[in-house]
Every structure is written in C-alpha cells, then in structure tokens.
Amino acid sequence: MADFNIKKQLSVIGGEESGAIIPIISKTDEIETKQNDFPEIIGLLPLRNMVLFPGVILPIAVGRKKSQQLVKKAYEEEKLIGVIAQRDAKVDSPSDQDLFSTGTSAKIVKILEMPDNSITAILQGVARFDTVRLLTSSPYYKAEIKERVLEEIIPEGENMEALEEAIKDLAQQVVENANNMPGESMFALRNIENIHFLINFISCHFPFKVDEKQHLLEIDNLSNRAHKLLEILAAESQFQKIKRDIQHKASSDLNKQQREYFLNQQIKAIQSELGNNPAEQEIEEMKERAKAKKWSKEAKEMFDKEIQKMERTNPSSPEFGVISNYLDTILDLPWELYSEDNFDLKKSQKILDKDHFGLDKVKERIIEYLAVLKLKNDMKSPILCMVGPPGVGKTSLGKSIADALGRKYVRMSLGGLHDESEIRGHRKTYIGAMPGRIIQSLRKAGTSNPVFMLDEVDKVGADHRGDPSSALLEVLDPEQNATFHDNYLEIDYDLSKVLFIATANSLSTISAPLRDRMEIIDVSGYVQQEKVEIAKRHLIPKQLEAHGLKKSNINLSVAAIKEIIDEHTSESGVRTLDKKVATIMRKAAKKLAIDEIKEQKITPDNLKEYLGSPRYSKEIYQGNDFAGVVTGLAWTAVGGVILFIEASCNKSKNGKLTLTGNLGDVMKESAVLALEYIKANANKLGLKAEEIEQQNVHIHVPQGAIPKDGPSAGITIVTALVSAMTNRKVKRNLAMTGEITLRGKVEPVGGIKEKILAAKRAGIKEIILCNENQKDIEEINDEYLKGLSFHFVSRIDEVLDLAITKQKAK
C-alpha cells in the first residue's frame, strides 16, 4: 500500500445525496503514486450516487450485509478495498454489468458502529484502477484489477496556476448560489494548494451527476481533467444563475392576492426558459397526427383553419380548450378508414346459425346483402329494421352480423331519446359542446363502416328540444347519409358505408317518413320446438356458466323444458324462458352448495320443486259450451295473444249497446259496426230487426285491466253477436281475426305470424283469415303451420257459415 504524506488532515463529511459539505482542513502533496505492491485482487464496495477520488476522505454509510463484512475484514487486516460506483442506484444486488469499470482503491481510516446496526466507514482514496473481471460475489464482491496511472503532461504555454484560480472562482460561484452548501466550503477550497487534490475534492463533493463524476475519474490526463471540470462548473454555475433569476422573476410578480399562484408562476417561468411550453407541444403533436390522416379536402382545410386559430389563442382562455377538444375530435374520427369485409358466405352462414336458431328470413337477407356486396364491392349499405316482440334476439342478432362481416360493432339505444342534439350534436361555440352520439360512436369504433345497432327506434320521443326522429331521417336515408352533417363537426361525414340495423317492437309509433327509409324485416316469435332448441343450445349453457355449474351437475330433460314453455311462460320470445332457466340454476346451485347433491335430474314430475306451481294452463282455449263466446286473435307489442269476445242479449223496451273490458276506440267502433251490420242484414241471418231493436246487447272482453285495441276483432264481434242472438254454438277449436266494413266485406289485418303462434299455444286447430292474408301465410315456414288448417274468406257471411254450428247451446 502507498503511504501518503499528509501535512494537514482533511475530512469531508456529507456528500452528494445530502448536498452538504462540512470541511475539515487538510491537504495532500501526492495524489496518485505508482505502487509496487498495488493489489491484483481486491474486495469491491459498490456505491450508490457517489464516486470516490484519490486523496479525498469520504464517510460512507454501509448498509448491505456483504459490504459490512468486507469493510470489517479489511479494517481488521489493514487492507485496501476497491470503491466503485453503480450505474443504477436502484439495483440492490449489482452484477458486473451494473458497475462502472473504473474505481478507486481506498484505505479505511475509521469504522463507526451506528445505533441502527449500520456501519459508517470513513474512507480515504488511494489510487485509481480498472476492473479486469469480477471474480465472485460471495461472501462479498471480489475483482481482479490493474492500476490506472495519471498523466501529468501539461500542454506547452498552459498556466496551471491560472487554471487553478479559474476552478476556484467558478467553484466559489456555485457555493454562493447553492442553498445546500455551507459557507465554510469556500474556506476549505481556498486552503487547498495542490491542483491534483483540488480537482479531486471538487469532483467528489460538488453536486454533479454520477455520470459526470465518473467521467472525470476516468480522464487520465491532468490538464484534460481540469478543463472538463471547468466545463462542468461553468454549466452548474449557469444553471444556478438561471434558477435564481427564475425565482426572482416569479417573486416579483407576486402580491397579496397572488401568493396562491406562486408555484404556477415558477412552472411557467421554468417552461419559458427551457422552451418547453405544453400548449406548443400539444399543437405540434396535433400537427404530427394530422400528417398521417387520410381525409377529405374539406376536413383538412377545417383542421388548418382551427389549428392556426389555436396558435393565436392564449392557452388560459376558455376558447383554447374549445378548439383543442374540437381538433381532438376530428383527429380521432376514422376518416376514410374501413375494415375489410369477410366475403366467405358459408362461414358467415355458420356464424349466424350458431348464434341464433331460426330467424331464417333475417339470415337470408343478410347473406343476400353480403352476396351483392361481394359482387359489386361498392354497394350502399341498406337500413334494416327488425320488428318483433321482446326476447326474440333482435339486438343480439346485430352482434352476430358484425362477426359474420368481420366489422366493428356499435350499439346505440334510442329509448327515451328526446333531444335532437343527441343525434346532430351541439354547435362547438358553446363550452361543453360535443358531437352527436352517431359521431361519438364512430369515434369509439375506429372505422367508418361498422355494424351500427340503433336499438328501440320506436321509442324515440319529441319535445321542445326537437324531434330526434326527424334528425334520424338524414342518418337512415341511403341517398343522404353520404353527407351527414353534425352541428359540432361542421363538416360532412360519410355514413353510406355504415350498416345500420334498427330494432323496434312496433311500427305504429315510428313516423311514416322514417319507416319509409328502412327495410322492414319481421322477427316473429318462436314455436315450441324452436324454443326447446334455443334453450338447449344457448340458454342452458349460458346459465350454467353464469351460476358456476357444470353440465354434469344438472340434467334438464326436454319434457321439462316443454312444460316450462307451456305452463310457466306465455311469450313469443325466450326472455321469460331464460329467467325461468336461471331460477332453476339458482335452486340447483343451492342444493349443490348446501346438500352436496352433485347430480340433479329435472323432469316434469319434480319441476314444481324448482319453479313452483304453473302460472299458465296448457289448454288456454275455453271451449264452445256457451253461445256468444268466440276466440279471436290479436297482436300486441309482446307478440300474439288470443282474445275472447263474449256477447249476451236480453229483452228491453229501449235496446242499448254496452261495451266493457277496457276497449280502445278502434274496438268500440268495430262493435258498433258489427251491430249495425246485423241490423241491416237481419233477414239474411234469420233474425228480426224489430226484435234486435228491443234487446240490450252487451259485449265484453275479459281481463278488463288490460287495455285492448286494434283493427282485428271485427269478424269476431259479429260472430259472437250472431251466436248470442241465435243461441247457436261456435265451432270448437276455432279462432279468427279480421276487420269488417259496413257492407260486410272482410278486411285484411297484420301480425299474422304472431297470431298463428298464439293460436298454436292455445291449442287452436282452425283459423279464419281474410283471403288477402293468404300471401302472409305463404311466407311463413311450414313448421309454424303444422297442425293448423286455414279458411280464407272475403265476406262476413262466409265467416258465419264456417263458425256458427246448428247446435243449440244449453
């Protein structure tokens, strides 16, 4: 080991982390001396955020167990250790890649045991070394090293004394401007007379970055090291001056009312000095994003206009935020960005069949659309509107269509929508303005040709804020939506590639112009066989997963499913059926969790344990034992239902017509019309007109709490009145639907498929329809018609011949 000639002892306690220097006067005449006994293998002490230089005394807090063991052993044996800096201070167990290659050998002057079991070692740097290789990391780090010699070659004409004074002057400026360095530091610097030690002292203890300190340590030439230190000191001095000027500038703007803005003023001043303005950064980022956009000329001009306005606007102004939000919106929109359609029609058909059982007409229409698009490749997307009762799969069908096409899927519910600006957006001049939900949804979708589901289009309302139905006219018109105008964007947006699919429970509440722009597809209910298949393929697997059950835990027989459909539900769709299946799963989960019954078989015999008593009767049809009772068919928003019309007559001096059963205006008119027709054609019907005038006629439709209306019960009321007046029975298992005129002509009605399903559920065998409804029957799948016979009529007397028997009622 080298023996240092120390005239005055200098110890510096503190360092880079605290930034404090507490000097104890010292000086060395010799900093680096070539050692004959320089060790080839040495124990390494890694340091965080510190670099030790030769000749400098530095206290080090030793926390790692390995390092403590090394320090104690080296101190006891009076051996040198190698002190080397870590590249990353966060690494707890550094490898050779985590350590710099150049370090300083050090002598342990003193060890201090601290109360928290840590050790503070006072080290004195001896000489620099280069690490050849790391030998081991246990029990502490050891490495093979070689000494690194300092070159004292001074360029000709260079005055080292002037260089020393320059270093001291700059160091004094740094100490004076720094808040975390005591004034005694300058006294210590002025008393250092050796330039070697001066450079090492400043490099070790001044608040430079670790990388800068390490670079200084690695410089072999004394002159070069001095010039590099001057450069770093000059930069640090300039930084301290700028920092002081910023603080002075910020403080000069303050008064009693502005003290709370002190921090913001400092930030602004710093940003101004560094040229790092957030508003300017935001504008530059927007310009970069705009370069990658493929949009129309109109959109580009609007962007350029607004970005120029933004550059001229004060960032603290509310208008700046309005412009920023607007530009973000048009940059986020997928202008001219389309997803590629999947034209594998067989695969598309499989996806539709897998996700939905039945609905053949809807699937066929989708495949037709795909076929045309595949051949033409630029077809405008049609506006499909699926109309049907709840629970038949209208909304979920949209997701399947998106999967089949390979497009993004967007759903927007229109139920209860009253504000037109929800569709068209607000004008951007208002703070808090935003685009309409159409544009917002496209922004989320990320493409300009998604499958766009407009749910509950029949429930759009209107009030003083406008009529959203009128706003939808432009959206849903294939001839107009290529230039859809949103009030917020103020730029036309092309919606012609979007596949809009609307859903509705009823067409009656949709305005005629809006209905005219859509292609109506009836999505009727399901027959029992279809419901059974839907339950087996979709509902039961879904509920098993939702309730944490396995297929082996529960066996729901087909007979039990049929009984659930017949006796516990009364609907065209399968929503209530899904709820009943969920109820069964909950009961089964309870038995599995409490009673540990791992296998449960559910049959019609034990179904009551899970669902309770049946809510509906299998045979809803009530027979023909009484005269004046006729089964009609009606359509409602939740599907088809059967409707019982009851009529009774009794003698009175002044005959009158009484209607009960919560009937609407249309049904009341049908009742009056039916009675007038019977009076006018009494002779043909085997009745006497004067006797009819002297009878009180009462027409009743049961379930009076339920409103009933619609043009479907005309022929039913006539048949009920004739049956009551002649006391003749109506044919058994017969139902009918149709409207009449005063001349006795039978008029066609709608909702035929739903009414047929209701008839099948009720056990009806024969149905009377207007002959003009025969075309509706031809479009219905044979599966729905199985077990039914149809009679098509054009006049009311044909209805009476088919429906009224010669058998008298008791």
Side-chain angles (χ1 to χ4, degrees), residues 388-390 505 525 571-573 634-641 751 754-755 757-758 761:
N505 296 132
E571 59 173 349
S572 296
W635 180 92
T636 69
V638 294
V641 295
E754 288 84 355
K755 293 175 180 178
L757 290 174
R761 289 197 300 269

Side-chain angles (χ1 to χ4, degrees), residues 552-766:
S552 59
N553 294 141
I554 187 166
N555 181 9
L556 190 57
S557 67
V558 173
I561 297 173
K562 288 182 179 179
E563 187 160 326
I564 296 170
I565 294 168
D566 291 337
E567 298 190 3
H568 294 271
T569 67
S570 178
E571 59 173 349
S572 296
V574 291
R575 188 165 293 163
T576 305
L577 176 60
D578 189 31
K579 293 177 183 177
K580 295 298 179 183
V581 172
T583 301
I584 291 173
M585 297 301 172
R586 289 196 298 273
K587 301 285 186 184
K590 178 182 175 183
K591 289 186 177 185
L592 177 61
I594 297 176
D595 303 328
E596 296 187 358
I597 303 174
K598 295 184 178 180
E599 296 183 11
Q600 302 176 52
K601 186 172 183 180
I602 300 172
T603 64
D605 297 332
N606 64 353
L607 185 61
K608 188 175 181 180
E609 296 178 21
Y610 295 86
L611 293 180
S613 300
R615 293 188 59 192
Y616 305 97
S617 172
K618 284 184 179 179
E619 187 69 29
I620 302 177
Y621 175 69
Q622 296 180 358
N624 66 337
D625 295 332
F626 299 93
V629 179
V630 183
T631 304
L633 299 173
W635 180 92
T636 69
V638 294
V641 295
I642 66 169
L643 201 65
F644 298 105
I645 306 293
E646 298 179 351
S648 66
C649 303
N650 55 72
K651 290 185 178 181
S652 173
K653 291 182 179 180
N654 298 315
K656 65 177 182 177
L657 174 63
T658 303
L659 304 173
T660 56
N662 200 354
L663 304 182
D665 292 337
V666 177
M667 286 193 71
K668 289 177 182 178
E669 290 177 1
S670 296
V672 174
L673 196 62
L675 183 58
E676 292 302 320
Y677 172 81
I678 291 172
K679 289 178 181 180
N681 296 275
N683 293 334
K684 187 189 296 185
L685 299 172
L687 300 171
K688 295 181 179 180
E690 59 273 13
E691 290 180 359
I692 298 174
E693 293 290 347
Q694 296 176 359
Q695 286 183 336
N696 286 334
V697 178
H698 187 170
I699 300 175
H700 176 65
V701 182
Q703 296 180 326
I706 301 173
K708 292 169 280 293
D709 200 10
S712 295
I715 64 173
T716 314
I717 295 174
V718 172
T719 305
L721 288 174
V722 173
S723 173
M725 291 176 181
T726 60
N727 197 33
R728 290 158 62 187
K729 291 183 178 182
V730 176
K731 191 174 182 180
R732 186 171 179 80
N733 294 319
L734 175 74
M736 60 186 72
T737 182
E739 200 51 75
I740 63 167
T741 67
L742 199 57
R743 293 173 292 137
K745 185 176 182 296
V746 178
E747 295 286 333
V749 292
I752 298 300
K753 184 176 180 181
E754 288 84 355
K755 293 175 180 178
I756 290 173
L757 290 174
K760 289 199 66 151
R761 289 197 300 269
I764 300 296
K765 305 298 182 186
E766 298 180 60

Side-chain angles (χ1 to χ4, degrees), residues 370-613:
L370 283 175
V372 176
L373 187 61
K374 180 178 181 179
L375 296 175
K376 197 165 184 290
N377 204 30
D378 62 348
M379 175 185 175
K380 286 187 177 180
S381 292
I383 314 299
L384 305 179
C385 180
M386 293 183 286
V387 181
V392 294
K394 301 186 298 297
T395 303
S396 58
L397 189 64
K399 187 71 172 69
S400 299
I401 293 171
D403 291 340
L405 286 168
R407 293 190 181 187
K408 297 284 187 179
Y409 174 72
V410 178
R411 178 182 171 273
M412 173 180 165
S413 178
L414 299 176
L417 193 70
H418 289 82
D419 192 348
E420 182 181 344
S421 60
E422 289 288 322
I423 304 297
R424 287 196 178 277
H426 307 79
R427 297 195 179 279
K428 71 173 186 291
T429 51
Y430 302 106
I431 296 176
M434 61 181 67
R437 290 171 63 185
I438 300 290
I439 295 298
Q440 288 183 47
S441 298
L442 290 176
R443 184 180 180 181
K444 292 177 185 176
T447 64
S448 291
N449 64 335
V451 173
F452 204 121
M453 176 65 74
L454 296 170
D455 227 353
E456 310 291 355
V457 73
D458 58 326
K459 296 179 177 60
V460 174
D463 60 12
H464 64 281
R465 290 169 290 184
D467 182 6
S469 295
S470 301
L472 284 172
L473 292 178
E474 184 182 1
V475 176
L476 300 181
D477 190 339
E479 299 300 324
Q480 297 183 46
N481 61 13
T483 55
F484 172 68
H485 183 81
D486 185 276
N487 291 330
Y488 183 81
L489 283 186
E490 296 182 351
I491 312 170
D492 289 342
Y493 198 92
D494 185 3
L495 301 179
S496 62
K497 302 295 191 298
V498 179
L499 177 54
F500 286 104
I501 301 176
T503 69
N505 296 132
S506 172
L507 289 175
S508 59
T509 55
I510 302 176
S511 64
L514 184 58
R515 188 168 62 243
D516 183 60
R517 283 163 169 77
M518 298 186 291
E519 180 180 340
I520 307 300
I521 299 177
D522 290 320
V523 185
S524 303
Y526 303 101
V527 294
Q528 187 193 64
Q529 293 88 337
E530 289 178 326
K531 289 183 179 180
V532 170
E533 289 299 321
I534 291 170
K536 288 166 59 179
R537 299 184 186 190
H538 302 287
L539 304 184
I540 294 174
K542 180 184 78 172
Q543 294 298 344
L544 281 171
E545 182 180 356
H547 290 83
L549 296 171
K550 297 179 181 178
K551 193 175 181 182
S552 59
N553 294 141
I554 187 166
N555 181 9
L556 190 57
S557 67
V558 173
I561 297 173
K562 288 182 179 179
E563 187 160 326
I564 296 170
I565 294 168
D566 291 337
E567 298 190 3
H568 294 271
T569 67
S570 178
E571 59 173 349
S572 296
V574 291
R575 188 165 293 163
T576 305
L577 176 60
D578 189 31
K579 293 177 183 177
K580 295 298 179 183
V581 172
T583 301
I584 291 173
M585 297 301 172
R586 289 196 298 273
K587 301 285 186 184
K590 178 182 175 183
K591 289 186 177 185
L592 177 61
I594 297 176
D595 303 328
E596 296 187 358
I597 303 174
K598 295 184 178 180
E599 296 183 11
Q600 302 176 52
K601 186 172 183 180
I602 300 172
T603 64
D605 297 332
N606 64 353
L607 185 61
K608 188 175 181 180
E609 296 178 21
Y610 295 86
L611 293 180
S613 300

Side-chain angles (χ1 to χ4, degrees), residues 12 89 118 124 267 272 278 285 408 438 465 519 530 715 804:
V12 179
S118 64
Q124 182 180 28
I267 292 172
S272 176
E285 287 172 3
K408 297 284 187 179
I438 300 290
R465 290 169 290 184
E519 180 180 340
E530 289 178 326
I715 64 173
I804 305 293

